[in-house]
Amino acid sequence: MGPQGAGKGTQAAKLEEETGATHIETGDLVRSEIKQETELGKKIKEYSDKGELVPDEIIIDMTKPYLDENDSWILDGFPRNKEQAKALDEALKEIDEKIDKVVVLEASDEELIERLSGRRQSEATGEVYHIEHNPPPEEGSEEDPGPFVQRDDDTEEAIRNRLKTYHEQTEPLKDYYEEQGILVTVDASRDIDEVTKEVLEAVGENK
Ligand code: AMP
């Protein structure tokens, strides 16, 4: 769990490498439907572009098959509210599984807005850069991965909306998981490697 721009995707990819668990990113599932212009994609584009949550049933239906198909997962961007958390508990009960740990990546809104507005993705490779902190190879050079695109929901207005949604709907889940004794909070404002170290420690993977 964590607000947009906290580095969930980056850290989940590293965790996947270390643990072999399957990385399931609901934001990516949503973007893929939109890009392929499926019926579902057309229905959910409006929510996503505005930075609003896609209706719960749709997200739950999209995610469930991945839970059934794999033995262990890193859920990234799901659940995002109490209804989804309860639906996840139900789905896990059905397949006799449980959540081991909930890792929350935390950073201030100011830092997140700065990170997200500078984010650029290579159209060709999918690699994500930041115009200041992680700039892409020089334009015109051999490794130039341009052209770049900015996500439709990385505009300032959508970013503010996404953070508001996070604080109002997702953040209260911290109490839900704290009560179950499986919550770990990590300061995500630091370097990627420092955060990774702590995330791995949190899930008991650091030797
Ligand atoms: P993200 O890349 O995680 O920021 O997700 C991009 C967009 O996909 C979000 O702004 C939502 O519109 C939608 N989305 C992703 N995950 C969820 C979820 N668990 N519940 C509802 N909407 C979601």
Side-chain angles (χ1 to χ4, degrees), residues 68-138:
D68 296 342
E69 274 166 27
N70 299 282
D71 289 337
S72 53
W73 337 262
I74 301 148
L75 288 174
D76 167 3
F78 178 86
R80 246 150 140 137
N81 59 28
K82 202 70 175 279
E83 289 67 34
Q84 294 181 13
K86 292 208 164 129
L88 175 62
D89 285 346
E90 283 299 312
L92 291 180
K93 217 195 260 169
E94 274 170 30
I95 53 173
D96 202 18
E97 290 287 356
K98 64 173 183 48
I99 301 172
D100 294 318
K101 277 279 180 314
V102 175
V103 181
V104 187
L105 300 181
E106 298 207 301
S108 71
D109 281 6
E110 254 163 69
E111 163 110 31
L112 296 166
I113 289 167
E114 202 272 332
R115 282 188 190 179
L116 289 168
S117 5
R119 188 154 80 168
R120 299 288 182 276
Q121 188 170 28
S122 159
E123 238 172 357
T125 65
E127 191 82 21
V128 178
Y129 300 92
H130 186 282
I131 44 179
E132 267 171 46
H133 310 309
N134 178 23
E138 208 182 322

Side-chain angles (χ1 to χ4, degrees), residues 24-39:
I24 303 169
E25 185 183 355
T26 46
D28 240 16
L29 300 180
V30 165
R31 279 185 291 280
S32 161
E33 294 286 339
I34 295 174
K35 198 166 174 210
Q36 291 173 51
E37 296 181 350
T38 61
E39 277 310 306

Side-chain angles (χ1 to χ4, degrees), residues 7 22 44-45 62-63 70 75 79 81 84-85 97 100 106 111 116 156 176-177 187 190 192 202:
T22 305
I44 60 185
K45 180 172 169 44
M62 279 170 96
T63 314
N70 299 282
L75 288 174
N81 59 28
Q84 294 181 13
E97 290 287 356
D100 294 318
E106 298 207 301
E111 163 110 31
L116 289 168
E156 180 147 357
Y176 184 72
Y177 291 121
D187 172 6
R190 298 163 304 158
I192 292 176

Side-chain angles (χ1 to χ4, degrees), residues 186-202:
V186 173
D187 172 6
S189 65
R190 298 163 304 158
D191 282 353
I192 292 176
D193 290 346
E194 284 176 62
V195 178
T196 304
K197 191 165 167 275
E198 217 173 298
V199 171
L200 289 173
E201 269 164 16

